[in-house]
Amino acid sequence: MLDMPLETTVDAFLGGMVEAIQPARGHHRSGLDAVILAAAMGGVARGRIIDMGAGAGVAGLSLAARAQGASLVLAEREAELLACAEQALQRPANAGFADRVEVVGVDLLAGDARKAAALLPESFDHALMNPPFHDRGRVRASPDDFRARAHVLEAGGLDDWFRAAAALVRQQGTLAAILPADRLPAVLAACEGRFGGLAVLPLHPRVGEPASRVLVRGTKGSRAAMRLLPGLFLHGSTGSPYLAGPAAILRDGASIADIHSVWSDPQWGETATRSS
């Protein structure tokens, strides 16, 4: 077992259905984005799923709690975050799904490292990821090295992450990713020739405000056209409470399809997450 960071917190998600262990400081701490990402697939997801760059495992654990027919691999390169994910699997709150979750230490962007970790080509039905999103040299990176690596891309940019996802996911398998809205052009470029039939869901902090995030889901090898969906609003125009739909995702374990019907369009929806 890897040594735990000196200071961690135990954080409850999905109304206590999931408990994650995260470093108190010095690393990226997962929250809203990770839970929304897991909700992209929801309870009908089946088969073997990889959480790419899983961090402490919040997204993957949240999906495992929802999707009883899925097994999850939490793939992460930072030793301290791997230790957090391993310890989380020992929490009583996670006992109902812990036996379907595996933690793997690996640099996903290196093909040789994936092979050494037994993450073989096209061995996953689905993937989800919340990758670093800042291009190197375009922002001032955090002085904390761990936090910087979580937010700033390597030289290959987003393309490296989508190339790795395409290598790992089988034909007609799916990928879900969440990124800042201004990275949508780069996401579309990275999906070209790899993932098609894209569904793009803008996520708005409040009614009347521009989208701050986009949730993108696509199918490997699909030639279907992209669909830009009506946005999902997290808060009303005033006040801080979440609207009823997002609150159901965050506190009750609902999926996007449960609260936003356009996400489950039979032309490209929840049925796409069923393994053959």
Side-chain angles (χ1 to χ4, degrees):
M1 178 68 66
L2 296 167
D3 293 335
M4 285 294 293
L6 292 178
E7 189 175 356
T8 61
T9 62
V10 178
D11 304 311
F13 294 90
L14 308 187
M17 292 169 56
V18 171
E19 287 186 354
I21 296 177
Q22 302 194 81
R25 58 183 59 86
H27 285 269
H28 171 75
R29 287 174 57 83
S30 297
L32 175 67
D33 284 4
V35 177
I36 294 291
L37 176 60
M41 293 188 177
V44 302
R46 299 288 186 272
R48 192 168 185 240
I49 303 174
I50 184 168
D51 181 358
M52 300 178 59
V58 173
L61 296 176
S62 297
L63 180 55
R66 286 186 176 94
Q68 297 183 9
S71 61
L72 273 291
V73 170
L74 311 182
E76 171 60 47
R77 70 178 181 181
E78 303 294 349
E80 290 170 320
L81 297 177
L82 289 164
C84 285
E86 289 174 340
Q87 287 291 318
L89 294 179
Q90 306 305 314
R91 300 288 303 178
N94 302 332
F97 55 84
D99 63 345
R100 294 185 282 106
V101 180
E102 177 185 4
V103 179
V104 175
V106 61
D107 179 357
L108 285 168
L109 304 187
D112 289 345
R114 295 196 301 268
K115 183 178 179 180
L119 303 180
L120 302 180
E122 299 194 334
S123 61
F124 289 91
D125 297 293
H126 315 288
L128 61 159
M129 66 180 182
N130 180 14
F133 44 80
H134 292 307
D135 288 324
R136 187 169 296 276
R138 297 191 64 181
V139 296
R140 176 179 292 180
S142 168
D144 185 281
D145 190 45
F146 290 115
R147 192 181 298 274
R149 288 204 296 267
H151 293 155
V152 179
L153 291 156
E154 301 293 340
L158 278 176
D159 194 72
D160 279 355
W161 283 86
F162 284 83
R163 179 183 295 109
L168 289 166
V169 173
R170 64 169 173 80
Q171 288 293 320
Q172 299 305 306
T174 62
L175 168 70
I178 189 168
L179 288 122
D182 64 359
R183 298 317 317 265
L184 181 57
V187 171
L188 297 181
C191 286
E192 184 69 28
R194 296 169 179 152
F195 295 94
L198 300 179
V200 178
L201 177 65
L203 302 171
H204 301 259
R206 295 184 179 278
V207 173
E209 293 185 359
S212 60
R213 295 285 189 270
V214 287
L215 183 65
V216 179
R217 197 170 68 178
T219 300
K220 181 177 175 179
S222 172
R223 296 184 179 180
M226 183 196 82
R227 294 188 303 134
L228 181 61
L229 304 177
L232 177 64
F233 298 91
L234 302 180
H235 301 274
S237 57
T238 59
S240 59
Y242 285 101
L243 295 174
I249 290 174
L250 297 173
R251 299 166 191 164
D252 303 328
S255 71
I256 298 287
D258 292 330
I259 63 99
H260 204 53
S261 61
V262 293
W263 191 250
S264 58
D265 183 333
Q267 296 181 45
W268 200 109
E270 287 281 328
T271 54
T273 66
R274 298 180 187 275
S275 294
S276 57

Coordinates of all heavy atoms in Angstrom, one line a residue, residues 33-128:
D33 N -17.5 19.1 -11.1 CA -17.2 18.5 -12.4 C -17.1 17.0 -12.4 O -17.6 16.4 -13.4 CB -15.8 19.1 -12.9 CG -15.9 20.5 -13.4 OD1 -17.0 21.1 -13.3 OD2 -14.9 21.1 -13.9
A34 N -16.5 16.4 -11.4 CA -16.4 15.0 -11.4 C -17.7 14.3 -11.2 O -18.0 13.3 -11.9 CB -15.5 14.6 -10.2
V35 N -18.6 14.9 -10.4 CA -19.9 14.3 -10.2 C -20.8 14.4 -11.5 O -21.5 13.5 -11.9 CB -20.6 14.9 -9.0 CG1 -22.0 14.3 -8.8 CG2 -19.8 14.6 -7.7
I36 N -20.7 15.5 -12.1 CA -21.4 15.7 -13.4 C -20.9 14.8 -14.5 O -21.7 14.2 -15.2 CB -21.3 17.2 -13.9 CG1 -22.0 18.1 -12.9 CG2 -21.9 17.3 -15.3 CD1 -23.5 18.0 -12.9
L37 N -19.6 14.6 -14.5 CA -19.0 13.7 -15.5 C -19.5 12.3 -15.3 O -19.9 11.6 -16.2 CB -17.5 13.7 -15.4 CG -16.7 12.8 -16.2 CD1 -17.0 13.0 -17.7 CD2 -15.2 12.9 -15.9
A38 N -19.6 11.8 -14.1 CA -20.1 10.5 -13.8 C -21.5 10.3 -14.2 O -22.0 9.3 -14.7 CB -19.9 10.1 -12.3
A39 N -22.3 11.4 -14.0 CA -23.7 11.4 -14.3 C -24.0 11.3 -15.8 O -25.1 11.1 -16.3 CB -24.4 12.6 -13.8
A40 N -22.9 11.6 -16.6 CA -23.1 11.5 -18.1 C -23.4 10.1 -18.6 O -24.1 9.9 -19.6 CB -21.8 11.9 -18.8
M41 N -23.0 9.1 -17.8 CA -23.3 7.7 -18.2 C -24.5 7.2 -17.4 O -25.4 6.5 -17.9 CB -22.1 6.8 -18.0 CG -21.0 7.2 -19.0 SD -19.6 6.0 -19.0 CE -18.6 6.7 -20.3
G42 N -24.5 7.4 -16.1 CA -25.6 7.0 -15.3 C -25.7 5.5 -15.0 O -24.8 4.7 -15.3
G43 N -26.8 5.1 -14.5 CA -27.0 3.8 -13.9 C -27.1 2.7 -15.0 O -26.9 1.5 -14.7
V44 N -27.3 3.0 -16.3 CA -27.4 2.0 -17.3 C -26.1 1.6 -17.9 O -26.0 0.6 -18.7 CB -28.4 2.4 -18.4 CG1 -29.7 2.8 -17.9 CG2 -27.8 3.6 -19.2
A45 N -25.0 2.2 -17.5 CA -23.7 1.9 -18.0 C -23.3 0.5 -17.7 O -23.6 0.0 -16.6 CB -22.6 2.9 -17.5
R46 N -22.7 -0.2 -18.6 CA -22.4 -1.6 -18.5 C -20.9 -1.8 -18.9 O -20.4 -1.0 -19.7 CB -23.3 -2.5 -19.3 CG -24.8 -2.5 -18.9 CD -25.0 -3.2 -17.6 NE -26.4 -3.2 -17.3 CZ -27.1 -2.2 -16.7 NH1 -26.5 -1.1 -16.3 NH2 -28.4 -2.4 -16.4
G47 N -20.3 -2.9 -18.5 CA -19.0 -3.3 -19.0 C -17.8 -2.7 -18.2 O -18.0 -2.2 -17.1
R48 N -16.7 -2.6 -18.9 CA -15.4 -2.2 -18.2 C -15.2 -0.7 -18.6 O -15.2 -0.4 -19.8 CB -14.3 -3.0 -18.7 CG -13.0 -2.9 -18.0 CD -12.0 -4.0 -18.3 NE -10.8 -3.9 -17.5 CZ -9.6 -3.7 -18.0 NH1 -9.4 -3.6 -19.3 NH2 -8.5 -3.7 -17.2
I49 N -15.0 0.1 -17.6 CA -15.0 1.6 -17.8 C -13.7 2.1 -17.2 O -13.4 1.7 -16.0 CB -16.2 2.3 -17.2 CG1 -17.5 1.7 -17.8 CG2 -16.1 3.8 -17.4 CD1 -18.7 2.3 -17.2
I50 N -13.0 3.0 -17.8 CA -11.8 3.6 -17.3 C -12.0 5.1 -17.0 O -12.5 5.8 -17.8 CB -10.5 3.4 -18.2 CG1 -9.3 3.9 -17.6 CG2 -10.8 4.0 -19.6 CD1 -8.0 3.6 -18.2
D51 N -11.6 5.5 -15.8 CA -11.6 6.9 -15.4 C -10.2 7.4 -15.6 O -9.3 7.0 -14.9 CB -12.1 7.0 -13.9 CG -12.1 8.5 -13.4 OD1 -11.7 9.4 -14.2 OD2 -12.5 8.7 -12.3
M52 N -10.0 8.2 -16.7 CA -8.6 8.5 -17.1 C -8.2 9.8 -16.3 O -8.8 10.8 -16.4 CB -8.6 8.8 -18.6 CG -9.1 7.6 -19.4 SD -9.1 8.0 -21.2 CE -7.4 8.5 -21.5
G53 N -7.0 9.7 -15.7 CA -6.5 10.8 -14.8 C -7.5 10.9 -13.7 O -8.0 12.0 -13.4
A54 N -7.7 9.9 -13.0 CA -8.8 9.8 -12.0 C -8.6 10.6 -10.8 O -9.6 10.9 -10.0 CB -9.1 8.3 -11.6
G55 N -7.4 11.1 -10.5 CA -7.2 11.8 -9.3 C -7.5 10.9 -8.1 O -7.0 9.8 -8.0
A56 N -8.2 11.4 -7.1 CA -8.6 10.6 -6.0 C -9.8 9.7 -6.2 O -10.2 9.0 -5.3 CB -8.9 11.6 -4.8
G57 N -10.3 9.8 -7.5 CA -11.3 8.8 -7.9 C -12.8 9.2 -7.8 O -13.6 8.3 -7.9
V58 N -13.0 10.5 -7.6 CA -14.4 10.9 -7.3 C -15.3 10.5 -8.5 O -16.4 10.0 -8.3 CB -14.5 12.4 -7.0 CG1 -15.9 12.9 -6.9 CG2 -13.7 12.7 -5.7
A59 N -15.0 10.8 -9.7 CA -15.8 10.5 -10.8 C -16.1 9.0 -11.0 O -17.2 8.5 -11.1 CB -15.3 11.1 -12.1
G60 N -15.0 8.2 -10.9 CA -15.1 6.8 -11.1 C -15.9 6.2 -10.0 O -16.8 5.3 -10.2
L61 N -15.7 6.6 -8.7 CA -16.5 6.1 -7.6 C -17.9 6.4 -7.7 O -18.8 5.6 -7.4 CB -15.9 6.6 -6.3 CG -14.4 6.2 -5.9 CD1 -14.0 6.9 -4.7 CD2 -14.3 4.6 -5.8
S62 N -18.2 7.6 -8.2 CA -19.6 8.1 -8.3 C -20.3 7.3 -9.4 O -21.5 7.0 -9.3 CB -19.7 9.6 -8.6 OG -19.1 10.3 -7.6
L63 N -19.6 6.9 -10.5 CA -20.2 6.1 -11.5 C -20.4 4.7 -11.0 O -21.5 4.0 -11.2 CB -19.4 6.1 -12.8 CG -19.9 5.3 -13.9 CD1 -21.3 5.7 -14.3 CD2 -19.0 5.4 -15.1
A64 N -19.4 4.1 -10.3 CA -19.6 2.8 -9.8 C -20.7 2.7 -8.8 O -21.5 1.6 -8.8 CB -18.3 2.3 -9.0
A65 N -21.0 3.7 -8.0 CA -22.1 3.7 -7.1 C -23.5 3.6 -7.8 O -24.4 3.1 -7.3 CB -22.1 4.9 -6.2
R66 N -23.5 4.3 -9.0 CA -24.8 4.3 -9.8 C -24.9 3.0 -10.6 O -26.1 2.5 -10.7 CB -24.7 5.5 -10.8 CG -24.9 6.9 -10.2 CD -25.0 7.8 -11.3 NE -25.3 9.2 -10.9 CZ -24.3 10.1 -10.7 NH1 -23.0 9.8 -10.8 NH2 -24.6 11.3 -10.3
A67 N -23.9 2.6 -11.3 CA -24.0 1.6 -12.3 C -23.5 0.2 -11.8 O -22.3 -0.1 -11.8 CB -23.1 2.0 -13.5
Q68 N -24.5 -0.6 -11.4 CA -24.2 -1.8 -10.8 C -23.7 -2.9 -11.8 O -23.0 -3.9 -11.4 CB -25.4 -2.4 -10.1 CG -25.9 -1.5 -9.0 CD -27.1 -2.1 -8.2 OE1 -27.5 -3.3 -8.5 NE2 -27.7 -1.3 -7.3
G69 N -23.9 -2.6 -13.1 CA -23.4 -3.5 -14.1 C -22.0 -3.1 -14.7 O -21.6 -3.7 -15.7
A70 N -21.3 -2.2 -14.0 CA -20.1 -1.7 -14.6 C -18.9 -2.0 -13.6 O -19.1 -2.0 -12.4 CB -20.1 -0.2 -14.8
S71 N -17.7 -2.3 -14.2 CA -16.5 -2.3 -13.4 C -15.6 -1.1 -13.8 O -15.6 -0.8 -15.0 CB -15.8 -3.6 -13.6 OG -15.4 -3.8 -15.0
L72 N -15.0 -0.5 -12.8 CA -14.2 0.7 -13.0 C -12.7 0.5 -12.8 O -12.3 -0.2 -11.8 CB -14.7 1.8 -12.1 CG -15.9 2.7 -12.5 CD1 -15.5 3.6 -13.7 CD2 -17.1 1.9 -12.9
V73 N -11.9 1.1 -13.6 CA -10.5 1.2 -13.4 C -10.2 2.7 -13.2 O -10.5 3.5 -14.1 CB -9.7 0.7 -14.6 CG1 -8.2 1.1 -14.4 CG2 -9.8 -0.8 -14.7
L74 N -9.6 3.1 -12.0 CA -9.2 4.4 -11.8 C -7.8 4.5 -12.1 O -6.9 4.0 -11.4 CB -9.5 4.7 -10.3 CG -10.8 4.4 -9.7 CD1 -10.9 4.9 -8.2 CD2 -11.9 5.1 -10.5
A75 N -7.4 5.2 -13.2 CA -6.1 5.3 -13.7 C -5.5 6.7 -13.4 O -6.1 7.7 -13.8 CB -6.0 5.0 -15.2
E76 N -4.4 6.7 -12.7 CA -3.8 8.0 -12.2 C -2.3 7.8 -12.1 O -1.8 6.7 -11.8 CB -4.4 8.4 -10.9 CG -3.8 9.5 -10.2 CD -3.8 10.8 -11.0 OE1 -4.9 11.2 -11.5 OE2 -2.7 11.4 -11.0
R77 N -1.5 8.8 -12.3 CA -0.1 8.7 -12.2 C 0.5 9.2 -10.9 O 1.6 8.9 -10.5 CB 0.6 9.4 -13.4 CG 0.5 11.0 -13.3 CD 1.2 11.6 -14.5 NE 1.1 13.1 -14.4 CZ 1.6 13.9 -15.3 NH1 2.3 13.4 -16.4 NH2 1.5 15.2 -15.2
E78 N -0.2 10.1 -10.2 CA 0.3 10.7 -8.9 C 0.2 9.7 -7.8 O -1.0 9.3 -7.4 CB -0.4 12.0 -8.6 CG -0.3 13.0 -9.7 CD 1.2 13.5 -10.0 OE1 2.1 13.2 -9.2 OE2 1.4 14.2 -11.0
A79 N 1.3 9.3 -7.1 CA 1.2 8.3 -6.1 C 0.3 8.7 -4.9 O -0.4 7.9 -4.3 CB 2.7 8.1 -5.6
E80 N 0.3 10.0 -4.5 CA -0.5 10.4 -3.4 C -2.0 10.3 -3.7 O -2.7 9.9 -2.8 CB -0.1 11.8 -3.0 CG 1.3 11.9 -2.4 CD 1.8 13.3 -2.2 OE1 1.5 14.1 -3.1 OE2 2.4 13.6 -1.2
L81 N -2.3 10.6 -4.9 CA -3.8 10.4 -5.2 C -4.2 9.0 -5.4 O -5.3 8.6 -5.0 CB -4.0 11.2 -6.5 CG -3.8 12.7 -6.5 CD1 -4.0 13.4 -7.8 CD2 -4.7 13.4 -5.4
L82 N -3.3 8.2 -5.9 CA -3.5 6.7 -5.9 C -3.8 6.2 -4.5 O -4.7 5.4 -4.3 CB -2.3 6.0 -6.6 CG -2.1 6.2 -8.1 CD1 -0.8 5.7 -8.5 CD2 -3.2 5.4 -8.9
A83 N -3.0 6.6 -3.6 CA -3.1 6.2 -2.2 C -4.5 6.6 -1.7 O -5.1 5.8 -0.9 CB -2.0 6.7 -1.3
C84 N -4.9 7.8 -2.0 CA -6.2 8.3 -1.6 C -7.3 7.4 -2.1 O -8.3 7.0 -1.4 CB -6.4 9.7 -2.0 SG -5.5 10.9 -1.1
A85 N -7.2 7.1 -3.4 CA -8.3 6.2 -4.0 C -8.3 4.8 -3.4 O -9.3 4.2 -3.2 CB -8.0 6.1 -5.5
E86 N -7.1 4.2 -3.1 CA -7.0 2.9 -2.5 C -7.7 2.9 -1.1 O -8.4 2.0 -0.8 CB -5.6 2.5 -2.4 CG -5.0 2.1 -3.8 CD -3.5 1.8 -3.7 OE1 -2.8 2.3 -2.7 OE2 -3.0 1.2 -4.6
Q87 N -7.4 4.0 -0.4 CA -7.9 4.1 1.0 C -9.5 4.3 0.9 O -10.2 3.8 1.8 CB -7.3 5.2 1.7 CG -5.9 4.9 2.2 CD -5.8 3.9 3.2 OE1 -6.6 3.9 4.2 NE2 -4.9 3.0 3.1
A88 N -9.9 5.0 -0.1 CA -11.4 5.2 -0.2 C -12.1 3.9 -0.4 O -13.3 3.7 0.1 CB -11.7 6.2 -1.4
L89 N -11.5 3.0 -1.1 CA -12.2 1.7 -1.3 C -12.4 0.9 0.0 O -13.2 -0.1 0.0 CB -11.4 0.8 -2.3 CG -11.3 1.4 -3.7 CD1 -10.5 0.5 -4.6 CD2 -12.7 1.6 -4.3
Q90 N -11.7 1.3 1.0 CA -11.8 0.6 2.3 C -12.9 1.3 3.2 O -13.3 0.8 4.2 CB -10.5 0.7 3.1 CG -9.3 0.1 2.4 CD -9.5 -1.3 1.9 OE1 -10.0 -2.2 2.6 NE2 -9.2 -1.5 0.6
R91 N -13.5 2.4 2.7 CA -14.5 3.1 3.5 C -15.8 2.3 3.5 O -16.2 1.8 2.5 CB -14.8 4.5 2.9 CG -13.6 5.4 2.9 CD -13.2 5.9 4.2 NE -14.3 6.6 4.9 CZ -14.2 7.1 6.1 NH1 -13.0 7.0 6.8 NH2 -15.2 7.7 6.7
P92 N -16.5 2.1 4.7 CA -17.7 1.4 4.7 C -18.8 1.9 3.7 O -19.5 1.1 3.2 CB -18.2 1.5 6.2 CG -16.9 1.7 6.9 CD -16.0 2.5 6.0
A93 N -18.8 3.2 3.5 CA -19.8 3.8 2.6 C -19.7 3.3 1.2 O -20.6 3.2 0.4 CB -19.7 5.3 2.6
N94 N -18.4 2.8 0.8 CA -18.2 2.4 -0.5 C -18.2 0.8 -0.7 O -17.9 0.3 -1.7 CB -16.8 2.9 -1.0 CG -16.8 4.4 -0.9 OD1 -17.8 5.1 -1.1 ND2 -15.6 5.0 -0.7
A95 N -18.6 0.2 0.4 CA -18.5 -1.3 0.4 C -19.4 -2.0 -0.7 O -19.0 -3.0 -1.2 CB -18.9 -1.8 1.7
G96 N -20.4 -1.3 -1.1 CA -21.4 -1.9 -2.0 C -20.8 -2.0 -3.5 O -21.3 -2.8 -4.3
F97 N -19.8 -1.3 -3.8 CA -19.2 -1.3 -5.1 C -17.7 -1.4 -5.2 O -17.1 -1.5 -6.2 CB -19.6 0.0 -5.9 CG -19.3 1.3 -5.2 CD1 -18.0 1.8 -5.4 CD2 -20.2 2.0 -4.4 CE1 -17.7 3.0 -4.8 CE2 -19.9 3.2 -3.8 CZ -18.6 3.7 -4.0
A98 N -17.0 -1.4 -4.0 CA -15.6 -1.4 -4.0 C -15.0 -2.6 -4.7 O -13.9 -2.5 -5.3 CB -15.1 -1.4 -2.5
D99 N -15.7 -3.8 -4.7 CA -15.1 -4.9 -5.4 C -15.2 -4.8 -6.9 O -14.6 -5.7 -7.6 CB -15.8 -6.2 -4.9 CG -17.3 -6.3 -5.3 OD1 -17.9 -5.2 -5.6 OD2 -17.9 -7.3 -5.2
R100 N -15.8 -3.8 -7.4 CA -15.9 -3.6 -8.9 C -15.0 -2.4 -9.3 O -15.1 -2.0 -10.4 CB -17.3 -3.2 -9.3 CG -18.3 -4.4 -9.1 CD -19.7 -4.1 -9.7 NE -20.5 -3.2 -8.8 CZ -20.7 -1.9 -9.0 NH1 -20.2 -1.3 -10.1 NH2 -21.5 -1.3 -8.1
V101 N -14.1 -2.0 -8.4 CA -13.2 -0.9 -8.7 C -11.8 -1.3 -8.5 O -11.4 -1.9 -7.5 CB -13.5 0.4 -7.8 CG1 -12.6 1.5 -8.1 CG2 -15.0 0.8 -8.0
E102 N -10.9 -1.0 -9.5 CA -9.5 -1.2 -9.4 C -8.7 0.1 -9.6 O -9.1 0.9 -10.4 CB -9.1 -2.2 -10.5 CG -7.6 -2.5 -10.6 CD -7.3 -3.4 -11.8 OE1 -8.1 -3.7 -12.6 OE2 -6.1 -3.7 -11.9
V103 N -7.7 0.3 -8.8 CA -6.8 1.4 -8.9 C -5.5 1.1 -9.6 O -4.9 0.1 -9.2 CB -6.5 2.0 -7.5 CG1 -5.6 3.2 -7.6 CG2 -7.9 2.4 -6.8
V104 N -5.2 1.8 -10.6 CA -4.0 1.5 -11.4 C -3.1 2.8 -11.5 O -3.6 3.8 -12.0 CB -4.4 1.0 -12.8 CG1 -3.1 0.8 -13.7 CG2 -5.2 -0.3 -12.7
G105 N -1.8 2.6 -11.2 CA -0.9 3.7 -11.3 C -0.2 3.6 -12.7 O 0.4 2.7 -13.0
V106 N -0.4 4.7 -13.5 CA 0.1 4.7 -14.9 C 0.1 6.1 -15.5 O -0.8 6.9 -15.1 CB -0.8 3.8 -15.7 CG1 -2.3 4.3 -15.8 CG2 -0.3 3.6 -17.2
D107 N 1.1 6.4 -16.3 CA 1.0 7.6 -17.1 C 0.3 7.2 -18.4 O 0.8 6.6 -19.3 CB 2.5 8.0 -17.5 CG 2.5 9.2 -18.4 OD1 1.4 9.7 -18.8 OD2 3.6 9.7 -18.6
L108 N -1.0 7.6 -18.5 CA -1.9 7.2 -19.6 C -1.4 7.7 -20.9 O -1.8 7.1 -22.0 CB -3.3 7.6 -19.3 CG -4.1 6.9 -18.2 CD1 -5.3 7.6 -17.9 CD2 -4.4 5.5 -18.7
L109 N -0.6 8.7 -21.0 CA -0.2 9.3 -22.3 C 0.9 8.5 -22.9 O 1.3 8.9 -24.0 CB 0.1 10.8 -22.1 CG -1.0 11.6 -21.5 CD1 -0.6 13.1 -21.5 CD2 -2.3 11.4 -22.1
A110 N 1.5 7.6 -22.2 CA 2.6 6.8 -22.8 C 2.1 5.4 -23.1 O 1.7 4.6 -22.2 CB 3.7 6.7 -21.7
G111 N 2.2 5.0 -24.4 CA 1.7 3.7 -24.8 C 2.4 2.6 -24.1 O 1.8 1.6 -23.7
D112 N 3.7 2.7 -23.9 CA 4.4 1.6 -23.2 C 4.0 1.5 -21.8 O 3.9 0.3 -21.3 CB 5.9 1.9 -23.3 CG 6.5 1.7 -24.7 OD1 5.8 1.1 -25.6 OD2 7.6 2.2 -25.0
A113 N 3.7 2.6 -21.1 CA 3.3 2.5 -19.7 C 1.9 1.9 -19.6 O 1.6 1.1 -18.7 CB 3.3 3.9 -19.1
R114 N 1.0 2.2 -20.6 CA -0.3 1.6 -20.6 C -0.2 0.1 -20.7 O -0.8 -0.7 -20.0 CB -1.2 2.2 -21.7 CG -1.5 3.6 -21.5 CD -2.7 4.0 -22.4 NE -2.5 3.8 -23.9 CZ -2.0 4.7 -24.7 NH1 -1.6 5.9 -24.2 NH2 -1.8 4.4 -26.0
K115 N 0.7 -0.4 -21.6 CA 0.9 -1.8 -21.9 C 1.4 -2.5 -20.6 O 1.0 -3.5 -20.2 CB 1.8 -2.0 -23.0 CG 2.0 -3.5 -23.4 CD 2.9 -3.6 -24.6 CE 3.1 -5.1 -25.0 NZ 4.0 -5.2 -26.2
A116 N 2.4 -1.8 -20.0 CA 3.0 -2.4 -18.8 C 2.0 -2.5 -17.6 O 2.1 -3.4 -16.8 CB 4.2 -1.5 -18.3
A117 N 1.0 -1.6 -17.6 CA 0.0 -1.6 -16.6 C -1.2 -2.5 -17.0 O -2.2 -2.6 -16.3 CB -0.5 -0.2 -16.3
A118 N -1.1 -3.3 -18.1 CA -2.1 -4.2 -18.6 C -3.4 -3.4 -19.0 O -4.5 -4.0 -19.0 CB -2.4 -5.3 -17.6
L119 N -3.2 -2.2 -19.4 CA -4.3 -1.4 -20.0 C -4.2 -1.6 -21.5 O -3.6 -0.7 -22.2 CB -4.3 0.0 -19.6 CG -4.3 0.3 -18.1 CD1 -4.3 1.8 -17.8 CD2 -5.5 -0.4 -17.4
L120 N -4.7 -2.6 -22.0 CA -4.5 -3.0 -23.4 C -5.4 -2.3 -24.4 O -6.4 -1.8 -24.0 CB -4.7 -4.5 -23.5 CG -3.8 -5.4 -22.6 CD1 -4.1 -6.9 -22.8 CD2 -2.3 -5.1 -22.8
P121 N -5.0 -2.2 -25.7 CA -5.8 -1.5 -26.7 C -7.2 -2.1 -26.8 O -7.4 -3.3 -26.8 CB -5.0 -1.8 -28.0 CG -3.6 -1.9 -27.5 CD -3.7 -2.7 -26.2
E122 N -8.1 -1.2 -26.9 CA -9.5 -1.5 -27.1 C -10.1 -2.5 -26.0 O -10.9 -3.4 -26.3 CB -9.8 -2.1 -28.5 CG -9.4 -1.0 -29.5 CD -10.0 -1.4 -30.9 OE1 -10.2 -2.6 -31.2 OE2 -10.2 -0.5 -31.7
S123 N -9.6 -2.4 -24.8 CA -10.0 -3.3 -23.7 C -11.1 -2.7 -22.8 O -11.4 -3.3 -21.8 CB -8.8 -3.7 -22.9 OG -8.2 -2.6 -22.2
F124 N -11.5 -1.5 -23.1 CA -12.6 -0.9 -22.3 C -13.8 -0.6 -23.2 O -13.7 -0.3 -24.4 CB -12.1 0.4 -21.7 CG -11.0 0.2 -20.6 CD1 -9.7 0.2 -21.0 CD2 -11.4 0.0 -19.3 CE1 -8.7 0.0 -20.0 CE2 -10.5 -0.2 -18.3 CZ -9.1 -0.2 -18.7
D125 N -15.0 -0.7 -22.6 CA -16.2 -0.4 -23.2 C -16.4 1.1 -23.3 O -17.0 1.6 -24.2 CB -17.4 -1.1 -22.5 CG -17.3 -2.6 -22.5 OD1 -17.4 -3.1 -23.6 OD2 -17.0 -3.2 -21.5
H126 N -16.0 1.8 -22.2 CA -16.2 3.2 -22.1 C -15.1 3.9 -21.3 O -14.4 3.2 -20.6 CB -17.6 3.5 -21.4 CG -18.7 2.7 -21.9 ND1 -19.3 2.8 -23.1 CD2 -19.3 1.6 -21.3 CE1 -20.2 1.9 -23.3 NE2 -20.3 1.2 -22.2
A127 N -15.0 5.2 -21.5 CA -14.0 6.0 -20.8 C -14.6 7.3 -20.4 O -15.5 7.8 -21.0 CB -12.8 6.3 -21.6
L128 N -14.2 7.8 -19.2 CA -14.5 9.2 -18.8 C -13.3 9.9 -18.4 O -12.4 9.3 -17.9 CB -15.6 9.2 -17.7 CG -15.3 8.5 -16.4 CD1 -16.3 9.1 -15.3 CD2 -15.5 7.0 -16.4

